[in-house]
Every structure is written in C-alpha cells, then in structure tokens.
Amino acid sequence: MSFNTSLSGINAANADLNVTSNNIANVNTTGFKESRAEFADLFSYTNYGLSRNAVGTGVRVSNVAQQFSQGNIDPTGRSLDMAIEGEGFFTLSKNGATLYSRAGNFQTSNQGYVISPDGARLQVFPPRADGNGFDVGRLGDLQLLTTDSPPRQTGSVDVMFTLPGNAAAPAIAPFDPNEPNSYNHSTGGINVFDSLGVSHVQTSYFVKTATPNEWQAYNFVDGIQVGAPTTLQFSNSGELLTPPGGSIDLDPYTPATGAGVLDLTLNLAGSSQYGESFQLRDARQDGHAAGKLNEISVSADGVVFARYSNGADTPLGQVALTTFTNPQGLQPQGNNAWAESYSSGTPRTGAPDTSDFGQVQSGALESSTVDLTAQLVNMIVAQRNFQANAQMITTQDQVTQTVINIR
C-alpha cells in the first residue's frame, strides 16, 4: 500500500506541474485566468468508520480551480478591443450555443458582425424601435454599419443673441437685405438642410423701430423671405417678452432641389437687449447632410456608436455582460471561452456599469492574470514534491528487498 501512497503523491505532483505548465503557457493569453491545483488527502475506511490509528493512503486532485481575479488593462488604441473593468463576461453566440469570455479582442466578419477570433458573435441589447434606449430583454448579434449616414432635415434653428440697448432706427427705410444701412444687425447666415441633405442658408435680420425696446425680425432662406416680419419686444430690463417663449414658426420653404418642404421653427429663447454692441451668442440647428463612416466607438456603459463625418452618432447596440453566482463553476471550452454549468448557477445578463456589472473600456484588453514569478516558484515546489515521492518509492523498494532477503 505504501507504494500506492507514494504513487498518488507522484500523480498529484505531476498534476500540479501540468497546471503550472498551462498557466505559464498562457502568460500572454488575453483574458486568461490562471488555475490552481487543489488536493485532498485519502484514508481507508472500515465498515465501522475510520480507525483512530489509521494511516493516510495518499492524495488526490480534488479540483483545478480557475481564479477569476481582475487582470491588468492594457491600452491598445483599437476601437474593437474591449476590456471589462469589474464583474461580468462578454456574452457570445456560436452555432446556437451561448458562451462567455473575458477576452475582448474582437474583429469583424465579412458580413460586418463583431466576432471573437474563433468566430463567436458578440451579443448586444439592440436599440429600441422608438430610438429611446435599448431592449434589455432581448439579445442580438452586433453588426457594424458600413453604409453612409442618411441626411436629416432641419426642423429647428436655435439662435441666441444680445441686441444693443442704445440702438437707433436705421437711416434707410424700408428694409432691404441687400442694403446694409436698412437694418441694424443679422445672424450672418446659418446652414440648414433639406430632406436630401442639401444645405440652404437661413438668415435673420434685425431692424430697430421707433418704439422703445421694440425690433422687427425679418427671416430669409436662400435670400427668399419666409413669413412676415416678427415683432420682438423686450422689457425695460432687457428680457425678451414677445414672441412668447421666443418661438417663431417660419413659412414653409420649398427647395429647388426636389426635396420636401422645409418647415423651420426659429427659437430665440435666451436672447436679450442691453449694452451697446450686438453679440451672437449661439447659433445651431438639428439637421445634417449625409455622412461617411469615420469610426466605431464604445462608451463606458457599453454603447457601441457609429460616428459619421457629418457629426451624427448612431447607436448600434449595448454590450451585454453576464455574471454568475459561482464563476469557478463555469465549464472551460477553450478559445478563452466558458459555458454555463450546474455548478456556476443561473446566468444573469445586464448592461455594463449598472448594478454589480463592470464597465467596458474601449481600446484596451485585459491581460492574463498569470504571475510568472509565482508560477516559476510553484514549478520548483512541484518538482521537489515529485522527486520526494519518487525517492520514497526507492526507499520502500529497498526496505521490501531487505525483508525478502531475510533468512
């Protein structure tokens, strides 16, 4: 029996060396979690239980436990490289099977799907149909858009300005946009876009009237007046009173490009009258032309955006993370992936940076958790254990031989 005891020790030391060897081999594997060989002692039992003077019968490997600690996050600068800072696994789908991984070295397939190196597709929560948030109750494959961003017609033009409080009526009347002396100030022209993405110039001209704190605003698109002049009335402290809320609905403008009718609302909220000079404090509009895809970016909460040359950001989905009650119970599948098992518990999927889910860091990868120095020390210890058990067999053989030679 003593031979078997030492043999079990050799097998245990060999298993420890195998685990250490696997750790060292994966010291540079993205998202790899080092393993630890765990052992349990053996005793022989009788029908009445364990005797008080029983001697152990060796050792066995009770578990090879992966250690799911946080690895270092190394920047790469590549937008499709992702690292999880905190709890959770990337959720992948491959041939109908759901897999989980900490390795975020993703790439794209010939169809634009974001995949792992072995072809598993990254799962995301797809955008809602109404454009408000994401459908966290449904998973889908992340597919990158490679088409142009369609144009968006301008609906609102926001202008904020300060008119001089000491202004006088223009020297020339009536107002003529081609005669600078017939108006006091103008917005200088703001580019707006029709339904085909063609730009047009919207300009507002401001003419001081003879009435204190009163102005007339003339609005044009491409040099054509859209609507009657609007009266702007300010309080004696310079606050805009009329029109109420500062909103002006311009008359519809039909572009010559064949695009649809351009209905614009001019928002003057926040404008004022005081001081001695004109200031255009803000000018913006909500449309844009067609755009080319510039880059793919991922936010800390896992939202994947397609960024276009026209400034539009289109959300493609939100990366789905999954956590388990017992990650050590996951079944390794190779290729940096694990599968659910009975021991791991039921998976719980959610959005990054919510509850106990970690954040997603774009342009970075989580490195292996293997400490090479510690593994080399453990290799020496396992080697000594192997040698000691082998020497024990040699000693037992010599004792046995001595007993056999007794006469």
Side-chain angles (χ1 to χ4, degrees):
M1 181 177 293
S2 58
F3 284 99
N4 291 335
T5 301
S6 297
L7 182 60
S8 71
I10 288 178
N11 290 334
N14 187 62
D16 197 5
L17 282 170
N18 288 337
V19 172
T20 302
S21 176
N22 183 63
N23 287 339
I24 293 176
N26 286 280
V27 69
N28 288 322
T29 301
T30 300
F32 180 79
K33 302 302 178 183
E34 71 170 327
S35 298
R36 180 181 68 194
E38 298 176 349
F39 305 98
D41 57 349
L42 296 174
F43 279 89
S44 294
Y45 284 80
T46 67
N47 292 336
Y48 301 99
L50 186 64
S51 172
R52 293 176 59 87
N53 60 351
V55 177
T57 59
V59 65
R60 67 179 179 88
V61 179
S62 62
N63 188 27
V64 177
Q66 289 191 291
Q67 308 302 302
F68 287 91
S69 57
Q70 176 73 53
N72 293 330
I73 295 180
D74 301 325
T76 65
R78 181 175 174 271
S79 60
L80 282 183
D81 285 343
M82 305 180 208
I84 301 174
E85 188 173 3
E87 298 296 322
F89 295 82
F90 294 112
T91 310
L92 308 174
S93 177
K94 185 176 182 181
N95 300 326
T98 302
L99 302 174
Y100 307 95
S101 178
R102 291 283 296 194
N105 50 331
F106 297 112
Q107 53 192 299
T108 55
S109 69
N110 57 1
Q111 296 177 316
Y113 291 103
V114 176
I115 59 174
S116 65
D118 67 320
R121 295 180 178 179
L122 178 63
Q123 298 298 287
V124 296
F125 300 118
R128 294 184 183 275
D130 59 6
N132 296 320
F134 301 89
D135 187 355
V136 295
R138 183 167 60 93
L139 292 177
D141 301 332
L142 175 59
Q143 187 176 22
L144 303 184
L145 298 177
T146 57
T147 57
D148 292 348
S149 171
R152 178 180 178 181
Q153 179 172 309
T154 301
S156 176
V157 179
D158 296 335
V159 179
M160 188 183 299
F161 51 81
T162 298
L163 295 171
N166 62 347
I172 298 177
F175 163 75
D176 182 356
N178 297 315
E179 174 52 65
N181 292 321
S182 67
Y183 59 89
N184 297 79
H185 306 284
S186 78
T187 57
I190 301 170
N191 286 329
V192 297
F193 299 90
D194 62 25
S195 59
L196 297 179
V198 178
S199 66
H200 305 271
V201 179
Q202 188 277 323
T203 308
S204 296
Y205 298 89
F206 305 106
V207 178
K208 183 69 178 70
T209 68
T211 304
N213 301 323
E214 183 181 270
W215 297 72
Q216 291 289 318
Y218 294 82
N219 299 297
F220 288 73
V221 175
D222 288 346
I224 299 175
Q225 188 169 349
V226 283
T230 302
T231 299
L232 307 182
Q233 187 68 47
F234 295 88
S235 68
N236 56 13
S237 61
E239 179 185 0
L240 180 64
L241 301 177
T242 303
S247 181
I248 302 174
D249 292 327
L250 306 184
D251 285 357
Y253 173 75
T254 303
T257 60
V261 175
L262 195 58
D263 287 314
L264 298 176
T265 298
L266 192 63
N267 180 23
L268 308 182
S271 297
S272 56
Q273 176 202 249
Y274 52 74
E276 299 180 357
S277 61
F278 173 78
Q279 294 181 5
L280 182 61
R281 304 203 308 272
D282 191 21
R284 66 183 71 182
Q285 52 87 38
D286 59 358
H288 56 71
K292 300 289 184 181
L293 180 64
N294 277 347
E295 63 174 347
I296 300 295
S297 64
V298 185
S299 65
D301 56 354
V303 179
V304 182
F305 290 97
R307 298 189 183 277
Y308 294 89
S309 58
N310 56 10
D313 285 344
T314 302
L316 306 180
Q318 186 174 30
V319 175
L321 297 185
T322 302
T323 60
F324 295 86
T325 305
N326 177 30
Q328 287 190 334
L330 290 170
Q331 182 65 43
Q333 300 295 303
N335 294 315
N336 303 329
W338 292 269
E340 172 191 355
S341 72
Y342 177 79
S343 299
S344 67
T346 303
R348 183 169 61 89
T349 304
D353 204 21
T354 62
S355 184
D356 57 343
F357 294 100
Q359 292 183 338
V360 173
Q361 186 168 335
S362 178
L365 292 174
E366 182 183 8
S367 62
S368 171
T369 59
V370 175
D371 183 339
L372 186 57
T373 301
Q375 295 301 313
L376 292 175
V377 172
N378 191 69
M379 178 185 68
I380 295 173
V381 172
Q383 179 187 14
R384 295 301 186 192
N385 291 340
F386 189 100
Q387 291 172 337
N389 281 281
Q391 185 63 42
M392 197 68 214
I393 291 179
T394 300
T395 302
Q396 291 163 357
D397 176 61
Q398 292 173 350
V399 171
T400 303
Q401 191 65 37
T402 301
V403 172
I404 291 174
N405 291 335
I406 293 177
R407 296 182 180 177

